[in-house]
Amino acid sequence: MTHPTTTLALALREGGFAKAPTPQVPHAMAPHLELREVMLPPLGPGQVLIEVTLSPVNPSDLFFVQGGYGQPRVQGQAAGFEGVGRVIASNGAERLVGRRVSFLGTGTGAWAKHAVADAALCIPLDDAVADVDGAALIVNPLTAVALVERARQGGNAFVLNAAGSQLGRLMLGLARDEGLSPIAVIRRPDDAEALRALGAAEVLVTSAPDFHAQAGAAIKALKPRVLLDAVGDQATADLFFAMPAGAAWVSYGKMSDDAPSLNQMGQFIFMAKTIEGFWLSRWLPAAPADRQAAVVRQVQTRFASGQWATRVAAELSLDQAIDGILPAYATSSGKVMIRP
């Protein structure tokens, strides 16, 4: 059977890293992406060719296309970290041919009609898992499991900002089911009741005039010792310095373009507080194979049973994406999806 050697893709205009710090969200996508045919590389050992069905736009994707992420861009290669599709060819992984899989686009990006991926980073999907959930099955859900596991190490309670995001909601539901008490932090009050229903023990709104008083009361009552941070702003630093001795600030995102001031450095000395980073690309390969398998089963089960669901803000074709991603991304906390 003949398979394509080129594919239509949202290709990166530049390679390498940006020469200056980048914002979380670019001002426009056109300076970074172009819609064109790109070459598909020959399949290496253990790689598969996937006909892409759906691919999400993650915050990490927006950093990456600008050159601000932790790995360099390849000029002319498709963007997009993950997706769902059907395997149509393989080099040494014939068991996957014809299977619907979630995948990380390791050989090429996922914002394309076809993608090349390592078979080891493809997850065959249960029939009960919908395409929208399969498309976003890896980056956010595996991060959610890993971060809730880290939060549990600090005790029953933890603080979670950007809690209204897709990833935040996954973590709240998982924490509730595991008997934990998350303190959800959001910018606007609109989602407060929904987040309480998902499992938030407290909801703090950073724009509220009594934010600091409410935060102090919640921290005093629940004594959280882990802060899961996707924002990296001054409100986050203020929360961290209000937390008890031994607290850990776990940074896994940078939604704010304004860096916080660490104005109570003595707490690191006298209260044994720490700041650490989390990156799924480092956590996943380091996890033992049996742990990886258990996490994948857990994630699929939660989606198949309806405990988790992916909220979709918009679905765009490749030719709509360059102009359509940012308006859709700005107006909803649901996922923007690209359907090639």
Side-chain angles (χ1 to χ4, degrees), residues 223-250:
K223 298 178 175 57
R225 284 187 167 81
V226 173
L227 165 61
L228 302 180
D229 171 35
V231 182
D233 62 356
Q234 191 58 47
T236 304
D238 293 343
L239 282 170
F240 177 66
F241 287 128
M243 290 169 66
W249 178 349
V250 182

mmCIF file with all atom_site columns, all heavy atoms in Angstrom, residues 223-250:
data_model
loop_
_atom_site.group_PDB
_atom_site.id
_atom_site.type_symbol
_atom_site.label_atom_id
_atom_site.label_alt_id
_atom_site.label_comp_id
_atom_site.label_asym_id
_atom_site.label_entity_id
_atom_site.label_seq_id
_atom_site.pdbx_PDB_ins_code
_atom_site.Cartn_x
_atom_site.Cartn_y
_atom_site.Cartn_z
_atom_site.occupancy
_atom_site.B_iso_or_equiv
_atom_site.pdbx_formal_charge
_atom_site.auth_seq_id
_atom_site.auth_comp_id
_atom_site.auth_asym_id
_atom_site.auth_atom_id
_atom_site.pdbx_PDB_model_num
ATOM 1   N N   . LYS A 1 223 ? -4.160 24.357 55.985 1.00 0.00 ? 223 LYS A N   1
ATOM 2   C CA  . LYS A 1 223 ? -2.709 24.151 56.084 1.00 0.00 ? 223 LYS A CA  1
ATOM 3   C C   . LYS A 1 223 ? -2.118 23.424 54.862 1.00 0.00 ? 223 LYS A C   1
ATOM 4   O O   . LYS A 1 223 ? -1.469 22.385 54.989 1.00 0.00 ? 223 LYS A O   1
ATOM 5   C CB  . LYS A 1 223 ? -2.359 23.394 57.367 1.00 0.00 ? 223 LYS A CB  1
ATOM 6   C CG  . LYS A 1 223 ? -2.753 24.153 58.631 1.00 0.00 ? 223 LYS A CG  1
ATOM 7   C CD  . LYS A 1 223 ? -2.443 23.370 59.883 1.00 0.00 ? 223 LYS A CD  1
ATOM 8   C CE  . LYS A 1 223 ? -2.726 24.208 61.130 1.00 0.00 ? 223 LYS A CE  1
ATOM 9   N NZ  . LYS A 1 223 ? -4.118 24.705 61.185 1.00 0.00 ? 223 LYS A NZ  1
ATOM 10  N N   . PRO A 1 224 ? -2.325 23.951 53.663 1.00 0.00 ? 224 PRO A N   1
ATOM 11  C CA  . PRO A 1 224 ? -1.752 23.315 52.468 1.00 0.00 ? 224 PRO A CA  1
ATOM 12  C C   . PRO A 1 224 ? -0.233 23.481 52.430 1.00 0.00 ? 224 PRO A C   1
ATOM 13  O O   . PRO A 1 224 ? 0.292  24.532 52.797 1.00 0.00 ? 224 PRO A O   1
ATOM 14  C CB  . PRO A 1 224 ? -2.403 24.095 51.322 1.00 0.00 ? 224 PRO A CB  1
ATOM 15  C CG  . PRO A 1 224 ? -2.644 25.451 51.908 1.00 0.00 ? 224 PRO A CG  1
ATOM 16  C CD  . PRO A 1 224 ? -3.015 25.211 53.358 1.00 0.00 ? 224 PRO A CD  1
ATOM 17  N N   . ARG A 1 225 ? 0.464  22.451 51.980 1.00 0.00 ? 225 ARG A N   1
ATOM 18  C CA  . ARG A 1 225 ? 1.928  22.527 51.910 1.00 0.00 ? 225 ARG A CA  1
ATOM 19  C C   . ARG A 1 225 ? 2.472  22.308 50.494 1.00 0.00 ? 225 ARG A C   1
ATOM 20  O O   . ARG A 1 225 ? 3.683  22.183 50.334 1.00 0.00 ? 225 ARG A O   1
ATOM 21  C CB  . ARG A 1 225 ? 2.553  21.541 52.895 1.00 0.00 ? 225 ARG A CB  1
ATOM 22  C CG  . ARG A 1 225 ? 2.476  22.044 54.333 1.00 0.00 ? 225 ARG A CG  1
ATOM 23  C CD  . ARG A 1 225 ? 3.221  21.182 55.327 1.00 0.00 ? 225 ARG A CD  1
ATOM 24  N NE  . ARG A 1 225 ? 3.358  21.868 56.590 1.00 0.00 ? 225 ARG A NE  1
ATOM 25  C CZ  . ARG A 1 225 ? 2.407  21.940 57.527 1.00 0.00 ? 225 ARG A CZ  1
ATOM 26  N NH1 . ARG A 1 225 ? 1.235  21.354 57.313 1.00 0.00 ? 225 ARG A NH1 1
ATOM 27  N NH2 . ARG A 1 225 ? 2.610  22.594 58.660 1.00 0.00 ? 225 ARG A NH2 1
ATOM 28  N N   . VAL A 1 226 ? 1.577  22.255 49.510 1.00 0.00 ? 226 VAL A N   1
ATOM 29  C CA  . VAL A 1 226 ? 2.012  22.212 48.117 1.00 0.00 ? 226 VAL A CA  1
ATOM 30  C C   . VAL A 1 226 ? 1.184  23.219 47.327 1.00 0.00 ? 226 VAL A C   1
ATOM 31  O O   . VAL A 1 226 ? -0.036 23.270 47.461 1.00 0.00 ? 226 VAL A O   1
ATOM 32  C CB  . VAL A 1 226 ? 1.872  20.796 47.500 1.00 0.00 ? 226 VAL A CB  1
ATOM 33  C CG1 . VAL A 1 226 ? 2.175  20.838 45.997 1.00 0.00 ? 226 VAL A CG1 1
ATOM 34  C CG2 . VAL A 1 226 ? 2.814  19.814 48.188 1.00 0.00 ? 226 VAL A CG2 1
ATOM 35  N N   . LEU A 1 227 ? 1.868  24.025 46.514 1.00 0.00 ? 227 LEU A N   1
ATOM 36  C CA  . LEU A 1 227 ? 1.226  24.990 45.624 1.00 0.00 ? 227 LEU A CA  1
ATOM 37  C C   . LEU A 1 227 ? 1.534  24.572 44.190 1.00 0.00 ? 227 LEU A C   1
ATOM 38  O O   . LEU A 1 227 ? 2.699  24.538 43.775 1.00 0.00 ? 227 LEU A O   1
ATOM 39  C CB  . LEU A 1 227 ? 1.780  26.389 45.892 1.00 0.00 ? 227 LEU A CB  1
ATOM 40  C CG  . LEU A 1 227 ? 1.505  27.489 44.859 1.00 0.00 ? 227 LEU A CG  1
ATOM 41  C CD1 . LEU A 1 227 ? 0.016  27.728 44.698 1.00 0.00 ? 227 LEU A CD1 1
ATOM 42  C CD2 . LEU A 1 227 ? 2.208  28.785 45.263 1.00 0.00 ? 227 LEU A CD2 1
ATOM 43  N N   . LEU A 1 228 ? 0.499  24.210 43.431 1.00 0.00 ? 228 LEU A N   1
ATOM 44  C CA  . LEU A 1 228 ? 0.649  23.836 42.026 1.00 0.00 ? 228 LEU A CA  1
ATOM 45  C C   . LEU A 1 228 ? 0.385  25.067 41.179 1.00 0.00 ? 228 LEU A C   1
ATOM 46  O O   . LEU A 1 228 ? -0.736 25.570 41.140 1.00 0.00 ? 228 LEU A O   1
ATOM 47  C CB  . LEU A 1 228 ? -0.319 22.698 41.668 1.00 0.00 ? 228 LEU A CB  1
ATOM 48  C CG  . LEU A 1 228 ? -0.188 21.415 42.498 1.00 0.00 ? 228 LEU A CG  1
ATOM 49  C CD1 . LEU A 1 228 ? -1.196 20.371 42.033 1.00 0.00 ? 228 LEU A CD1 1
ATOM 50  C CD2 . LEU A 1 228 ? 1.234  20.851 42.432 1.00 0.00 ? 228 LEU A CD2 1
ATOM 51  N N   . ASP A 1 229 ? 1.414  25.550 40.489 1.00 0.00 ? 229 ASP A N   1
ATOM 52  C CA  . ASP A 1 229 ? 1.366  26.874 39.877 1.00 0.00 ? 229 ASP A CA  1
ATOM 53  C C   . ASP A 1 229 ? 1.539  26.814 38.366 1.00 0.00 ? 229 ASP A C   1
ATOM 54  O O   . ASP A 1 229 ? 2.572  26.378 37.860 1.00 0.00 ? 229 ASP A O   1
ATOM 55  C CB  . ASP A 1 229 ? 2.476  27.739 40.482 1.00 0.00 ? 229 ASP A CB  1
ATOM 56  C CG  . ASP A 1 229 ? 2.643  29.059 39.752 1.00 0.00 ? 229 ASP A CG  1
ATOM 57  O OD1 . ASP A 1 229 ? 1.622  29.610 39.286 1.00 0.00 ? 229 ASP A OD1 1
ATOM 58  O OD2 . ASP A 1 229 ? 3.795  29.530 39.656 1.00 0.00 ? 229 ASP A OD2 1
ATOM 59  N N   . ALA A 1 230 ? 0.513  27.294 37.646 1.00 0.00 ? 230 ALA A N   1
ATOM 60  C CA  . ALA A 1 230 ? 0.594  27.423 36.193 1.00 0.00 ? 230 ALA A CA  1
ATOM 61  C C   . ALA A 1 230 ? 0.730  28.873 35.763 1.00 0.00 ? 230 ALA A C   1
ATOM 62  O O   . ALA A 1 230 ? 0.771  29.159 34.572 1.00 0.00 ? 230 ALA A O   1
ATOM 63  C CB  . ALA A 1 230 ? -0.662 26.833 35.551 1.00 0.00 ? 230 ALA A CB  1
ATOM 64  N N   . VAL A 1 231 ? 0.808  29.807 36.723 1.00 0.00 ? 231 VAL A N   1
ATOM 65  C CA  . VAL A 1 231 ? 0.707  31.236 36.405 1.00 0.00 ? 231 VAL A CA  1
ATOM 66  C C   . VAL A 1 231 ? 2.028  31.973 36.602 1.00 0.00 ? 231 VAL A C   1
ATOM 67  O O   . VAL A 1 231 ? 2.518  32.651 35.715 1.00 0.00 ? 231 VAL A O   1
ATOM 68  C CB  . VAL A 1 231 ? -0.410 31.895 37.243 1.00 0.00 ? 231 VAL A CB  1
ATOM 69  C CG1 . VAL A 1 231 ? -0.550 33.372 36.882 1.00 0.00 ? 231 VAL A CG1 1
ATOM 70  C CG2 . VAL A 1 231 ? -1.734 31.169 37.020 1.00 0.00 ? 231 VAL A CG2 1
ATOM 71  N N   . GLY A 1 232 ? 2.609  31.869 37.796 1.00 0.00 ? 232 GLY A N   1
ATOM 72  C CA  . GLY A 1 232 ? 3.877  32.533 38.063 1.00 0.00 ? 232 GLY A CA  1
ATOM 73  C C   . GLY A 1 232 ? 3.772  34.037 38.216 1.00 0.00 ? 232 GLY A C   1
ATOM 74  O O   . GLY A 1 232 ? 4.627  34.784 37.737 1.00 0.00 ? 232 GLY A O   1
ATOM 75  N N   . ASP A 1 233 ? 2.737  34.521 38.933 1.00 0.00 ? 233 ASP A N   1
ATOM 76  C CA  . ASP A 1 233 ? 2.563  35.965 39.112 1.00 0.00 ? 233 ASP A CA  1
ATOM 77  C C   . ASP A 1 233 ? 2.724  36.343 40.579 1.00 0.00 ? 233 ASP A C   1
ATOM 78  O O   . ASP A 1 233 ? 3.036  35.500 41.420 1.00 0.00 ? 233 ASP A O   1
ATOM 79  C CB  . ASP A 1 233 ? 1.204  36.414 38.574 1.00 0.00 ? 233 ASP A CB  1
ATOM 80  C CG  . ASP A 1 233 ? 0.038  35.758 39.313 1.00 0.00 ? 233 ASP A CG  1
ATOM 81  O OD1 . ASP A 1 233 ? 0.279  34.885 40.195 1.00 0.00 ? 233 ASP A OD1 1
ATOM 82  O OD2 . ASP A 1 233 ? -1.121 36.109 39.007 1.00 0.00 ? 233 ASP A OD2 1
ATOM 83  N N   . GLN A 1 234 ? 2.499  37.626 40.891 1.00 0.00 ? 234 GLN A N   1
ATOM 84  C CA  . GLN A 1 234 ? 2.692  38.082 42.260 1.00 0.00 ? 234 GLN A CA  1
ATOM 85  C C   . GLN A 1 234 ? 1.668  37.478 43.217 1.00 0.00 ? 234 GLN A C   1
ATOM 86  O O   . GLN A 1 234 ? 1.985  37.185 44.368 1.00 0.00 ? 234 GLN A O   1
ATOM 87  C CB  . GLN A 1 234 ? 2.642  39.609 42.333 1.00 0.00 ? 234 GLN A CB  1
ATOM 88  C CG  . GLN A 1 234 ? 3.097  40.174 43.677 1.00 0.00 ? 234 GLN A CG  1
ATOM 89  C CD  . GLN A 1 234 ? 4.518  39.750 44.025 1.00 0.00 ? 234 GLN A CD  1
ATOM 90  O OE1 . GLN A 1 234 ? 5.405  39.847 43.194 1.00 0.00 ? 234 GLN A OE1 1
ATOM 91  N NE2 . GLN A 1 234 ? 4.736  39.279 45.244 1.00 0.00 ? 234 GLN A NE2 1
ATOM 92  N N   . ALA A 1 235 ? 0.428  37.280 42.752 1.00 0.00 ? 235 ALA A N   1
ATOM 93  C CA  . ALA A 1 235 ? -0.584 36.656 43.619 1.00 0.00 ? 235 ALA A CA  1
ATOM 94  C C   . ALA A 1 235 ? -0.142 35.264 44.044 1.00 0.00 ? 235 ALA A C   1
ATOM 95  O O   . ALA A 1 235 ? -0.390 34.842 45.180 1.00 0.00 ? 235 ALA A O   1
ATOM 96  C CB  . ALA A 1 235 ? -1.927 36.597 42.894 1.00 0.00 ? 235 ALA A CB  1
ATOM 97  N N   . THR A 1 236 ? 0.514  34.544 43.142 1.00 0.00 ? 236 THR A N   1
ATOM 98  C CA  . THR A 1 236 ? 1.016  33.212 43.474 1.00 0.00 ? 236 THR A CA  1
ATOM 99  C C   . THR A 1 236 ? 2.107  33.300 44.531 1.00 0.00 ? 236 THR A C   1
ATOM 100 O O   . THR A 1 236 ? 2.113  32.525 45.500 1.00 0.00 ? 236 THR A O   1
ATOM 101 C CB  . THR A 1 236 ? 1.570  32.529 42.208 1.00 0.00 ? 236 THR A CB  1
ATOM 102 O OG1 . THR A 1 236 ? 0.552  32.490 41.209 1.00 0.00 ? 236 THR A OG1 1
ATOM 103 C CG2 . THR A 1 236 ? 2.029  31.120 42.510 1.00 0.00 ? 236 THR A CG2 1
ATOM 104 N N   . ALA A 1 237 ? 3.037  34.235 44.369 1.00 0.00 ? 237 ALA A N   1
ATOM 105 C CA  . ALA A 1 237 ? 4.103  34.395 45.358 1.00 0.00 ? 237 ALA A CA  1
ATOM 106 C C   . ALA A 1 237 ? 3.522  34.771 46.720 1.00 0.00 ? 237 ALA A C   1
ATOM 107 O O   . ALA A 1 237 ? 3.958  34.251 47.760 1.00 0.00 ? 237 ALA A O   1
ATOM 108 C CB  . ALA A 1 237 ? 5.092  35.456 44.889 1.00 0.00 ? 237 ALA A CB  1
ATOM 109 N N   . ASP A 1 238 ? 2.523  35.647 46.739 1.00 0.00 ? 238 ASP A N   1
ATOM 110 C CA  . ASP A 1 238 ? 1.906  36.043 48.006 1.00 0.00 ? 238 ASP A CA  1
ATOM 111 C C   . ASP A 1 238 ? 1.264  34.841 48.697 1.00 0.00 ? 238 ASP A C   1
ATOM 112 O O   . ASP A 1 238 ? 1.373  34.691 49.924 1.00 0.00 ? 238 ASP A O   1
ATOM 113 C CB  . ASP A 1 238 ? 0.862  37.133 47.764 1.00 0.00 ? 238 ASP A CB  1
ATOM 114 C CG  . ASP A 1 238 ? 1.473  38.444 47.286 1.00 0.00 ? 238 ASP A CG  1
ATOM 115 O OD1 . ASP A 1 238 ? 2.690  38.639 47.443 1.00 0.00 ? 238 ASP A OD1 1
ATOM 116 O OD2 . ASP A 1 238 ? 0.717  39.272 46.730 1.00 0.00 ? 238 ASP A OD2 1
ATOM 117 N N   . LEU A 1 239 ? 0.593  33.996 47.928 1.00 0.00 ? 239 LEU A N   1
ATOM 118 C CA  . LEU A 1 239 ? 0.002  32.789 48.500 1.00 0.00 ? 239 LEU A CA  1
ATOM 119 C C   . LEU A 1 239 ? 1.077  31.882 49.088 1.00 0.00 ? 239 LEU A C   1
ATOM 120 O O   . LEU A 1 239 ? 0.938  31.349 50.195 1.00 0.00 ? 239 LEU A O   1
ATOM 121 C CB  . LEU A 1 239 ? -0.777 32.019 47.424 1.00 0.00 ? 239 LEU A CB  1
ATOM 122 C CG  . LEU A 1 239 ? -2.160 32.537 47.056 1.00 0.00 ? 239 LEU A CG  1
ATOM 123 C CD1 . LEU A 1 239 ? -2.680 31.813 45.824 1.00 0.00 ? 239 LEU A CD1 1
ATOM 124 C CD2 . LEU A 1 239 ? -3.132 32.351 48.228 1.00 0.00 ? 239 LEU A CD2 1
ATOM 125 N N   . PHE A 1 240 ? 2.143  31.709 48.329 1.00 0.00 ? 240 PHE A N   1
ATOM 126 C CA  . PHE A 1 240 ? 3.204  30.817 48.781 1.00 0.00 ? 240 PHE A CA  1
ATOM 127 C C   . PHE A 1 240 ? 3.818  31.296 50.095 1.00 0.00 ? 240 PHE A C   1
ATOM 128 O O   . PHE A 1 240 ? 4.037  30.515 51.022 1.00 0.00 ? 240 PHE A O   1
ATOM 129 C CB  . PHE A 1 240 ? 4.286  30.720 47.699 1.00 0.00 ? 240 PHE A CB  1
ATOM 130 C CG  . PHE A 1 240 ? 5.469  29.883 48.085 1.00 0.00 ? 240 PHE A CG  1
ATOM 131 C CD1 . PHE A 1 240 ? 5.345  28.516 48.292 1.00 0.00 ? 240 PHE A CD1 1
ATOM 132 C CD2 . PHE A 1 240 ? 6.718  30.471 48.248 1.00 0.00 ? 240 PHE A CD2 1
ATOM 133 C CE1 . PHE A 1 240 ? 6.433  27.747 48.648 1.00 0.00 ? 240 PHE A CE1 1
ATOM 134 C CE2 . PHE A 1 240 ? 7.809  29.703 48.608 1.00 0.00 ? 240 PHE A CE2 1
ATOM 135 C CZ  . PHE A 1 240 ? 7.681  28.338 48.805 1.00 0.00 ? 240 PHE A CZ  1
ATOM 136 N N   . PHE A 1 241 ? 4.078  32.587 50.199 1.00 0.00 ? 241 PHE A N   1
ATOM 137 C CA  . PHE A 1 241 ? 4.690  33.094 51.422 1.00 0.00 ? 241 PHE A CA  1
ATOM 138 C C   . PHE A 1 241 ? 3.722  33.083 52.602 1.00 0.00 ? 241 PHE A C   1
ATOM 139 O O   . PHE A 1 241 ? 4.151  33.189 53.759 1.00 0.00 ? 241 PHE A O   1
ATOM 140 C CB  . PHE A 1 241 ? 5.252  34.492 51.175 1.00 0.00 ? 241 PHE A CB  1
ATOM 141 C CG  . PHE A 1 241 ? 6.501  34.496 50.330 1.00 0.00 ? 241 PHE A CG  1
ATOM 142 C CD1 . PHE A 1 241 ? 6.581  35.304 49.208 1.00 0.00 ? 241 PHE A CD1 1
ATOM 143 C CD2 . PHE A 1 241 ? 7.573  33.674 50.639 1.00 0.00 ? 241 PHE A CD2 1
ATOM 144 C CE1 . PHE A 1 241 ? 7.731  35.301 48.414 1.00 0.00 ? 241 PHE A CE1 1
ATOM 145 C CE2 . PHE A 1 241 ? 8.727  33.669 49.857 1.00 0.00 ? 241 PHE A CE2 1
ATOM 146 C CZ  . PHE A 1 241 ? 8.808  34.473 48.738 1.00 0.00 ? 241 PHE A CZ  1
ATOM 147 N N   . ALA A 1 242 ? 2.425  32.936 52.345 1.00 0.00 ? 242 ALA A N   1
ATOM 148 C CA  . ALA A 1 242 ? 1.440  32.809 53.427 1.00 0.00 ? 242 ALA A CA  1
ATOM 149 C C   . ALA A 1 242 ? 1.261  31.359 53.876 1.00 0.00 ? 242 ALA A C   1
ATOM 150 O O   . ALA A 1 242 ? 0.588  31.112 54.882 1.00 0.00 ? 242 ALA A O   1
ATOM 151 C CB  . ALA A 1 242 ? 0.095  33.366 52.966 1.00 0.00 ? 242 ALA A CB  1
ATOM 152 N N   . MET A 1 243 ? 1.851  30.404 53.152 1.00 0.00 ? 243 MET A N   1
ATOM 153 C CA  . MET A 1 243 ? 1.676  28.992 53.473 1.00 0.00 ? 243 MET A CA  1
ATOM 154 C C   . MET A 1 243 ? 2.595  28.558 54.614 1.00 0.00 ? 243 MET A C   1
ATOM 155 O O   . MET A 1 243 ? 3.564  29.249 54.937 1.00 0.00 ? 243 MET A O   1
ATOM 156 C CB  . MET A 1 243 ? 1.912  28.142 52.215 1.00 0.00 ? 243 MET A CB  1
ATOM 157 C CG  . MET A 1 243 ? 0.796  28.306 51.177 1.00 0.00 ? 243 MET A CG  1
ATOM 158 S SD  . MET A 1 243 ? 1.158  27.582 49.548 1.00 0.00 ? 243 MET A SD  1
ATOM 159 C CE  . MET A 1 243 ? 1.230  25.823 49.963 1.00 0.00 ? 243 MET A CE  1
ATOM 160 N N   . PRO A 1 244 ? 2.307  27.415 55.244 1.00 0.00 ? 244 PRO A N   1
ATOM 161 C CA  . PRO A 1 244 ? 3.078  26.979 56.411 1.00 0.00 ? 244 PRO A CA  1
ATOM 162 C C   . PRO A 1 244 ? 4.519  26.603 56.070 1.00 0.00 ? 244 PRO A C   1
ATOM 163 O O   . PRO A 1 244 ? 4.893  26.463 54.896 1.00 0.00 ? 244 PRO A O   1
ATOM 164 C CB  . PRO A 1 244 ? 2.305  25.750 56.906 1.00 0.00 ? 244 PRO A CB  1
ATOM 165 C CG  . PRO A 1 244 ? 0.982  25.797 56.240 1.00 0.00 ? 244 PRO A CG  1
ATOM 166 C CD  . PRO A 1 244 ? 1.186  26.522 54.955 1.00 0.00 ? 244 PRO A CD  1
ATOM 167 N N   . ALA A 1 245 ? 5.310  26.392 57.114 1.00 0.00 ? 245 ALA A N   1
ATOM 168 C CA  . ALA A 1 245 ? 6.688  25.930 56.953 1.00 0.00 ? 245 ALA A CA  1
ATOM 169 C C   . ALA A 1 245 ? 6.710  24.610 56.182 1.00 0.00 ? 245 ALA A C   1
ATOM 170 O O   . ALA A 1 245 ? 5.807  23.790 56.305 1.00 0.00 ? 245 ALA A O   1
ATOM 171 C CB  . ALA A 1 245 ? 7.342  25.753 58.323 1.00 0.00 ? 245 ALA A CB  1
ATOM 172 N N   . GLY A 1 246 ? 7.755  24.435 55.384 1.00 0.00 ? 246 GLY A N   1
ATOM 173 C CA  . GLY A 1 246 ? 7.896  23.209 54.607 1.00 0.00 ? 246 GLY A CA  1
ATOM 174 C C   . GLY A 1 246 ? 7.124  23.206 53.307 1.00 0.00 ? 246 GLY A C   1
ATOM 175 O O   . GLY A 1 246 ? 7.103  22.194 52.595 1.00 0.00 ? 246 GLY A O   1
ATOM 176 N N   . ALA A 1 247 ? 6.486  24.329 52.957 1.00 0.00 ? 247 ALA A N   1
ATOM 177 C CA  . ALA A 1 247 ? 5.678  24.379 51.740 1.00 0.00 ? 247 ALA A CA  1
ATOM 178 C C   . ALA A 1 247 ? 6.568  24.316 50.499 1.00 0.00 ? 247 ALA A C   1
ATOM 179 O O   . ALA A 1 247 ? 7.688  24.829 50.486 1.00 0.00 ? 247 ALA A O   1
ATOM 180 C CB  . ALA A 1 247 ? 4.828  25.643 51.714 1.00 0.00 ? 247 ALA A CB  1
ATOM 181 N N   . ALA A 1 248 ? 6.033  23.678 49.443 1.00 0.00 ? 248 ALA A N   1
ATOM 182 C CA  . ALA A 1 248 ? 6.731  23.563 48.166 1.00 0.00 ? 248 ALA A CA  1
ATOM 183 C C   . ALA A 1 248 ? 5.920  24.246 47.086 1.00 0.00 ? 248 ALA A C   1
ATOM 184 O O   . ALA A 1 248 ? 4.715  23.994 46.950 1.00 0.00 ? 248 ALA A O   1
ATOM 185 C CB  . ALA A 1 248 ? 6.960  22.097 47.807 1.00 0.00 ? 248 ALA A CB  1
ATOM 186 N N   . TRP A 1 249 ? 6.567  25.094 46.310 1.00 0.00 ? 249 TRP A N   1
ATOM 187 C CA  . TRP A 1 249 ? 5.966  25.792 45.167 1.00 0.00 ? 249 TRP A CA  1
ATOM 188 C C   . TRP A 1 249 ? 6.390  25.009 43.925 1.00 0.00 ? 249 TRP A C   1
ATOM 189 O O   . TRP A 1 249 ? 7.561  24.982 43.574 1.00 0.00 ? 249 TRP A O   1
ATOM 190 C CB  . TRP A 1 249 ? 6.482  27.217 45.153 1.00 0.00 ? 249 TRP A CB  1
ATOM 191 C CG  . TRP A 1 249 ? 6.042  28.110 44.033 1.00 0.00 ? 249 TRP A CG  1
ATOM 192 C CD1 . TRP A 1 249 ? 5.398  27.786 42.886 1.00 0.00 ? 249 TRP A CD1 1
ATOM 193 C CD2 . TRP A 1 249 ? 6.256  29.536 43.977 1.00 0.00 ? 249 TRP A CD2 1
ATOM 194 N NE1 . TRP A 1 249 ? 5.188  28.894 42.102 1.00 0.00 ? 249 TRP A NE1 1
ATOM 195 C CE2 . TRP A 1 249 ? 5.703  29.984 42.753 1.00 0.00 ? 249 TRP A CE2 1
ATOM 196 C CE3 . TRP A 1 249 ? 6.844  30.463 44.826 1.00 0.00 ? 249 TRP A CE3 1
ATOM 197 C CZ2 . TRP A 1 249 ? 5.752  31.327 42.366 1.00 0.00 ? 249 TRP A CZ2 1
ATOM 198 C CZ3 . TRP A 1 249 ? 6.878  31.795 44.440 1.00 0.00 ? 249 TRP A CZ3 1
ATOM 199 C CH2 . TRP A 1 249 ? 6.331  32.222 43.232 1.00 0.00 ? 249 TRP A CH2 1
ATOM 200 N N   . VAL A 1 250 ? 5.421  24.356 43.277 1.00 0.00 ? 250 VAL A N   1
ATOM 201 C CA  . VAL A 1 250 ? 5.701  23.521 42.103 1.00 0.00 ? 250 VAL A CA  1
ATOM 202 C C   . VAL A 1 250 ? 5.240  24.283 40.862 1.00 0.00 ? 250 VAL A C   1
ATOM 203 O O   . VAL A 1 250 ? 4.046  24.442 40.618 1.00 0.00 ? 250 VAL A O   1
ATOM 204 C CB  . VAL A 1 250 ? 4.991  22.162 42.200 1.00 0.00 ? 250 VAL A CB  1
ATOM 205 C CG1 . VAL A 1 250 ? 5.340  21.288 40.996 1.00 0.00 ? 250 VAL A CG1 1
ATOM 206 C CG2 . VAL A 1 250 ? 5.369  21.444 43.501 1.00 0.00 ? 250 VAL A CG2 1
#
